[in-house]
């Protein structure tokens, strides 16, 4: 999947030519002469994908499904968005540091072979799960706006998303940049209108601590669901880019957009929705016609902004597996393949998109939390210089069994004991329903703690570990 180290570097395109040139980097390190951009671009790249209906729906669930009144819902949503964004900013700093995607950096935590499991899981979750969820939300909005049936609406959006992801990194960033002001203005207008009539002083919520933890887990899972892709969009930044600025812009863009839009969703859930409305119509039906139509346009644009990142990151996650693939199966071809599979998943979920999203949203964090515990602990414990760590990323013999053990144990303990799902309720909530769903915090603590105990410390005078 990577070029030979002895092969001459391609000529560097500039301007509009660079924007539409198909990116030729997959999981291989971006060379210094290809590095460009500013950390400021991470602000809109991570803000735009969250300004859409999927984020609104998290807030809606916190009130309508998890039984919270408005202010407890706000607390749960802001806490979940804050913790997920904090981790996102930290992980983004490794992009300019090493010039490779996030799943390649995972080799430091799991070893070259062990990293195949989280890379494959992320490719499936991002390319199939999230791609389907976001595109289906946009398809319903296009259906409501134009009357076009949901399936052709889905297919139109898929083609546009795959084309942007196929061209690659620079076009993805530019699309997110242009989408951001449009999305921000429309959703702020919709939010002001919804808050005008919302019942934000209600105290009738019955969710209690259990509902709070469900809402927190949903928002944390949604926000942290981007963590395995954090470095993907920072890896072209120059190596000397400020780490503080990289973390700040990436984390801030993610946090503000998720927090604000999900809180708007929570406020909308305090209002009566039109009967038998689709998920998007239930939200826009509370707005005047002109603003409802504008919001549908924003939902479509936001869905594309998110799904484009999903399909792009899924392709580079597959590239990080270092599989022996035909030469034509490059990053761009993988985008098209992932898009086709994600389309099938989206098609299958059209009939019951609301419940499908709710179940997916809660389950997604079950693997993210212990994975995040491992990679953040590795991030904190690193002792080798960057050059040695970069060599380790390309060393096929490097192994780190502690990471995979900690990840698997974190999932194996937290899910059976603490999960609280429609199809499966763990032992703790079965006996004490009021505790809600503690799978995320338990999985994170187990993953981080066990990795810290098992990881073999590096000596600063060596470049590889036994």
């Amino acid at each position: 999947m990577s070029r030979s180290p002895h092969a001459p570097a391609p000529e560097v395109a500039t301007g509009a030519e660079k924007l539409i040139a198909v990116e030729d980097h997959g999981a291989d390190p971006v060379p210094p002469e290809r590095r460009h951009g500013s950390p400021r671009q991470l602000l809109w790249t991570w803000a735009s994908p969250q300004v859409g209906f999927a984020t609104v729906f998290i807030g809606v669930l916190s009130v309508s499904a998890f039984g919270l009144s408005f202010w407890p819902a706000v607390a749960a949503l802001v806490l979940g968005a804050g913790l997920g964004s904090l981790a996102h900013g930290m992980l983004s700093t490794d992009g300019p540091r090493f010039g490779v995607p996030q799943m390649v950096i995972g080799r430091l935590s799991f070893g070259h072979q062990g990293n195949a499991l989280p890379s494959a899981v992320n490719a499936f979750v991002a390319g199939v799960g999230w791609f389907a969820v976001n595109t289906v939300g946009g398809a319903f909005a296009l259906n409501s706006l134009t009357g076009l049936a949901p399936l052709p609406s889905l297919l139109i959006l898929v083609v546009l998303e795959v084309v942007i992801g196929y061209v690659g990194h620079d076009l993805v960033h530019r699309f997110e940049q242009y989408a951001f002001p449009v999305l921000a203005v429309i959703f702020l207008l919709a939010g002001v209108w919804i808050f005008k009539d919302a019942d934000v002083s209600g105290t009738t919520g019955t969710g209690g601590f259990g509902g709070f933890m469900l809402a927190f887990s949903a928002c944390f899972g949604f926000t942290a669901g981007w963590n395995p892709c954090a470095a993907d969009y920072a890896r072209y930044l120059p190596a000397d880019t400020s780490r503080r600025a990289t973390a700040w812009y990436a984390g801030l863009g993610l946090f503000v957009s998720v927090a604000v839009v999900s809180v708007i969703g929570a406020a909308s859930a305090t209002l009566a929705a039109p009967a038998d409305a689709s998920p998007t119509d239930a939200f826009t039906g509370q707005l005047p016609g002109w603003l409802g139509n504008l919001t549908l346009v924003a939902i479509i644009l936001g869905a594309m902004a998110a799904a484009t990142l999903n399909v792009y990151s899924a392709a580079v996650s597959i590239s990080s597996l270092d599989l022996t693939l035909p030469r034509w199966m490059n990053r761009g071809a993988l985008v098209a393949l992932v898009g086709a599979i994600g389309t099938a998943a989206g098609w299958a979920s059209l009939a019951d998109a609301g419940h499908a999203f709710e179940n997916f949203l809660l389950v997604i964090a079950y693997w993210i939390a212990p994975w995040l515990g491992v990679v953040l602990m590795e991030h904190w414990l690193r002792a080798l210089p960057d050059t040695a760590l970069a060599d380790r990323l390309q060393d096929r013999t490097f192994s780190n069994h502690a990471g995979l053990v900690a990840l698997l144990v974190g999932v194996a303990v937290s899910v059976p004991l603490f999960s609280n799902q429609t199809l499966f309720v763990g032992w703790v909530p079965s006996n004490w329903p009021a505790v809600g769903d503690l799978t995320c915090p338990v999985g994170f603590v187990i993953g981080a703690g066990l990795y810290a105990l098992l990881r073999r410390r590096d000596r600063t005078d060596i470049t590889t570990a036994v």
Side-chain angles (χ1 to χ4, degrees), residues 58 62 66 68 72-73 75-84 210-223 362 365 437-438 440-441:
I58 299 169
S62 67
F66 305 146
L68 297 179
L77 295 169
V78 171
L79 180 61
L83 292 179
F212 181 91
M213 288 307 301
L214 284 168
F216 161 77
S217 295
C219 195
F220 172 78
F222 178 85
T223 309
L362 292 173
D437 193 327
L438 298 177
C440 286

Side-chain angles (χ1 to χ4, degrees), residues 55-343:
T55 319
V56 169
F57 200 58
I58 299 169
V60 172
L61 288 174
S62 67
V63 174
S64 63
F66 305 146
L68 297 179
S69 53
F70 179 74
W71 288 111
V74 170
L77 295 169
V78 171
L79 180 61
L83 292 179
S85 299
L86 179 63
H88 195 75
M90 293 176 62
L91 295 177
S92 295
T93 62
D94 280 345
R97 189 176 181 183
F98 299 115
V100 294
Q102 188 65 52
M103 283 293 110
V104 174
I105 298 167
R107 295 171 185 170
L108 298 176
S109 303
F110 302 99
H112 199 97
Q113 293 184 341
N115 191 55
L117 177 60
S119 294
V121 170
N122 187 58
F124 177 79
V125 168
V128 179
W130 277 121
F131 180 77
V133 162
N134 288 312
T135 307
V136 165
F140 276 120
L142 185 58
N143 163 250
S144 300
L145 184 66
T146 66
L148 188 66
L151 180 57
S153 298
L154 178 76
L155 297 177
I156 289 173
L157 295 187
V158 165
V159 171
L160 296 174
E161 294 156 1
V162 168
V163 167
I164 297 171
Y166 180 89
V167 174
H169 177 273
D170 287 350
L171 185 58
V172 169
H173 275 294
R174 190 63 60 89
F175 176 74
E176 307 295 343
Q177 178 184 2
Y178 290 157
F180 178 64
V182 178
L183 292 167
V185 169
I186 294 175
F187 262 88
L188 286 176
L189 285 173
V192 169
W193 193 277
I194 285 173
F195 270 96
K196 179 171 62 71
D197 299 318
D199 180 17
V200 299
S201 61
T203 57
T204 58
T206 59
F209 179 76
F212 181 91
M213 288 307 301
L214 284 168
F216 161 77
S217 295
C219 195
F220 172 78
F222 178 85
T223 309
W226 292 107
N227 290 174
C229 313
D232 297 2
Y233 305 94
R235 74 190 199 277
Y236 276 81
L237 294 176
D240 60 354
T241 300
S242 166
R243 293 184 186 178
R244 177 177 295 182
T246 300
W248 174 254
Y249 282 115
L252 184 66
L254 188 60
F255 171 71
V256 172
S257 54
V258 173
V260 170
V261 177
S262 64
V263 167
I264 291 174
S268 75
T270 67
L271 303 172
D276 300 322
S278 70
T280 50
D281 286 344
F283 178 67
T284 58
Q286 302 164 6
L287 305 172
W290 65 271
L291 184 52
N293 287 336
L294 279 178
T295 304
L296 287 173
V297 172
I299 289 173
I300 296 167
L301 191 60
M304 290 180 59
T308 298
L309 265 61
N310 297 146
V311 73
Y312 178 89
S313 284
V316 296
S317 291
I318 295 174
S319 297
S320 72
L321 292 170
D322 227 3
L323 301 173
T324 302
L325 298 173
R327 290 183 61 86
W328 60 268
M329 186 60 76
N330 54 17
R331 183 208 56 81
L334 288 173
V335 166
L337 176 62
V338 169
I341 299 172
T343 301

Side-chain angles (χ1 to χ4, degrees), residues 257-440:
S257 54
V258 173
V260 170
V261 177
S262 64
V263 167
I264 291 174
S268 75
T270 67
L271 303 172
D276 300 322
S278 70
T280 50
D281 286 344
F283 178 67
T284 58
Q286 302 164 6
L287 305 172
W290 65 271
L291 184 52
N293 287 336
L294 279 178
T295 304
L296 287 173
V297 172
I299 289 173
I300 296 167
L301 191 60
M304 290 180 59
T308 298
L309 265 61
N310 297 146
V311 73
Y312 178 89
S313 284
V316 296
S317 291
I318 295 174
S319 297
S320 72
L321 292 170
D322 227 3
L323 301 173
T324 302
L325 298 173
R327 290 183 61 86
W328 60 268
M329 186 60 76
N330 54 17
R331 183 208 56 81
L334 288 173
V335 166
L337 176 62
V338 169
I341 299 172
T343 301
W347 188 351
S349 67
L350 284 175
D352 193 14
H355 285 96
F357 180 45
E358 179 180 345
N359 292 333
F360 174 75
L361 188 62
L362 292 173
V363 172
I364 185 60
Y366 286 177
W367 87 274
I368 290 287
W371 174 86
L372 190 58
V374 171
V375 297
L376 288 181
M377 183 58 70
E378 166 60 33
H379 199 279
W380 185 51
L381 293 176
R382 289 175 189 166
L384 298 178
D386 286 357
T387 52
L389 293 171
D391 289 341
R392 177 171 286 181
L393 290 174
Q394 306 303 322
D395 181 4
R396 292 173 176 269
T397 67
F398 172 68
S399 63
N400 189 358
H401 302 304
L404 197 56
V405 170
L407 170 62
L408 294 176
V409 171
V411 173
V413 173
S414 62
V415 173
L417 290 181
F418 295 98
S419 64
N420 193 351
Q421 293 295 307
T422 303
L423 299 178
F424 177 77
V425 178
W427 182 79
V428 172
S430 293
N431 290 277
W432 299 279
V435 304
D437 193 327
L438 298 177
T439 313
C440 286

